[in-house]
Amino acid sequence: MMLGAPEKMGSNNAAGAARRAWHPWVLMAGFLLVAIGWPLVGRDYQVYLSLSFFSYSIALLGLNLLFNYTGLISFGHALFIGIGGYTAAFMTHKYSLLNMELIILIAVFLSGLVALLIGLICVRYIKIYFAMLTLAFGMLFHSFLMKTYSLTGGDEGMHVMQPKLLGFDLSHMDKMSFFSGPYYYYNLVFFALASYLMWRIVHSHFGLCIQAIRDNPDKAEYLGISIRRYRLYAFVISGCFTGLGGALMAPVTGHMDPAMVFWTHSGDMVFMTLLGGFSNFFGPMLGSLVFIFLRDTVSSFTEYWRFIFGALLAALVILAPGGLMELLSRGWAAVGGLRSKEQGS
Amino acid sequence: MATLLNILSSGVFHASILFLVASGLQLVFGVQKVFNLACGSFYALGAYLGITFVDVFTGRGGPPLLAFIPLLAAGILLGALGPVVERGLLRFVYNRDESFQLLLTFSVVLMLEDVIRFFWGTYPRSPKGVYLAFGTLHVGGAAIPVYNLLVIAASLLVALLMGYLLEKTRFGKIIRATASNSEMVQALGIRSSVVYVKVFTLGTILGTVGGALVIPTTAAVSEMAVHLIVLAFAVVVIGGLGSMKGAFLGALLVGLLKSVSIAVYPELEMMLIYLIVIGVLVLRPQGLFGGAS
């Protein structure tokens, strides 16, 4: 996947652009194979970290449906992480409903419902106004969580209990082996399914419509596409994916608190998306992978990892707005160029 | 009566500080069209450096009643950050999509958060003995801190000066012209890059001075940057993006709202503000004083 999406340029660049050397799904299959073997070779802690990668990747699939494909930047998407996560916290902690599939169903349903209600208002606006409105809704939810102490535990948050997977009670397993074993594969399946589903969505008729709206709303409207309705659909789908990511994330963190929905967390999510490359389907996944493991590495040798990440983000925005995917494809093209020179001489 | 006066005075005090930061945000948005998420971080830096300056000042025997001098000095000195951020980062993204501008200023938020942590640590801090030195004024049964009144006066003075600068001076004309058509201004022989640096520096100073002036009344905590940006953001949304009058009115509304809800029903304080922001964005996205959206 990581080498993935930059289309391989052939020795003849013009012809190579149209020809994909590797189909993205071949790479995805390769990545999944590696991911399946990963718990066998990786240390438990690294496998545990990979769980964050899965849930953030799924959440970012949703965020990027808006950011890249619909051309709307949300600075409040942590709201849906919060809805998914707090659903898991409520059900396991308050009502002892430990069935993960039920948690996911309800989390996705609630996220979609909230996205529908908020979206009806938000999609009337674009650009900075859309960003601000989503930020405001995210912060509204944040202050709701902070103030309803008796319900949500306020700033102390709520615990998330270890869930049952497919009805199996795995509470006899210790935490680490649960996460690096059954829960890892459970997440991997959802990651694969969600990626496939989103791939189908963005390559469907609907996906083409929202991209047409992004590129030229006026033309799209002449073609008979209802701009607001399609933006609303995109917003609801986006919310559902991010809510799913949040629900899967909750047992891993084991705890939900309002910081999860603070606007800076939404900013971090946009950061991950940009880091990998938002204009590439697989970019946000690469972004979350690099973000999570890099943060872990950097914060192990300095407590000032935010400074380093801020500088990294600034450098990316200025020098490589296409993210790592763009850098990889530039590097790939440069290697291709060198090779064709060698052959020519 | 006394409660009403207390609510009013603390509301106007909140409003004064919010106005300083929000007017900086408005100035930069009006001219450069960049929504500066880092203005909250400038505010926090102003607060922390203000504490350090005041502590050094009073430690050397300076009378606390003159603490305004080191506070203002800290705020104005931090204006040096303006050219650094503008020339070093922002100038590269003026022609880009808003999302990149937002993310770039977000990167400044991340960096400055750690700069503060590095120099001042994570414990709450406040300057010693300044606030009380100014005493309180007793009016109609209400106790109003004199320091608050001075800050309100200072903020009003800034508002008037800003009005004068923008409406009456040559530089103000250039700023307004750049805001509406920077290419035309450039064609008339004025270097817009110079205007941008000056405007951003001025915007930065408004934020840092706001932070420096607020700090005798409260403790500085590392989250103050990211919290303030949401309030400043509420002010500009309510007032209208890019409008100075909007910043003034928005700050007054948010400030009063804040102190009313703290006095009446504190649970709802922030929620009420966000609800109003959403209401304004829905009903009048250009804000109360904004032009066309």
Side-chain angles (χ1 to χ4, degrees), chain B residues 150-206:
Chain B
L150 290 172
V151 170
I152 293 168
S155 172
L156 271 176
L157 189 69
V158 170
L160 289 173
L161 282 175
M162 289 281 290
Y164 178 78
L165 175 83
L166 289 173
E167 300 290 333
K168 303 282 181 206
T169 63
R170 185 181 134 79
F171 182 56
K173 272 184 198 148
I174 293 173
I175 289 180
R176 282 182 291 138
T178 312
S180 55
N181 191 339
S182 65
E183 277 171 25
M184 183 57 83
V185 174
Q186 185 103 353
L188 292 171
I190 292 160
R191 283 175 58 192
S192 56
S193 60
V194 177
V195 179
Y196 284 174
V197 174
K198 285 182 182 166
V199 164
F200 195 78
T201 307
L202 191 55
T204 306
I205 291 177
L206 286 167

Side-chain angles (χ1 to χ4, degrees), chain A residues 86 152-159 255-258:
Chain A
Y86 270 95
T152 62
D155 58 352
E156 284 171 21
M158 289 173 87
H159 281 294
H255 187 255
M256 285 301 293
D257 63 64

Side-chain angles (χ1 to χ4, degrees), chain A residues 219-264:
Chain A
K219 251 184 199 167
E221 195 146 42
Y222 289 141
L223 291 172
I225 301 170
S226 166
I227 295 185
R228 280 194 193 166
R229 192 184 304 162
Y230 275 74
R231 280 191 184 133
L232 181 62
Y233 293 160
F235 197 80
V236 171
I237 296 170
S238 173
C240 289
F241 272 77
T242 307
L244 170 63
L248 288 170
M249 192 182 294
V252 181
T253 53
H255 187 255
M256 285 301 293
D257 63 64
M260 291 297 274
V261 295
F262 202 73
W263 71 269
T264 47

Side-chain angles (χ1 to χ4, degrees), chain A residues 96-120:
Chain A
S96 303
L97 288 168
L98 298 173
N99 190 317
M100 193 65 199
E101 294 77 42
L102 191 65
I103 291 172
I104 286 171
L105 261 174
I106 293 177
V108 171
F109 173 75
L110 284 178
S111 305
L113 189 68
V114 171
L116 180 69
L117 295 174
I118 296 177
L120 280 169

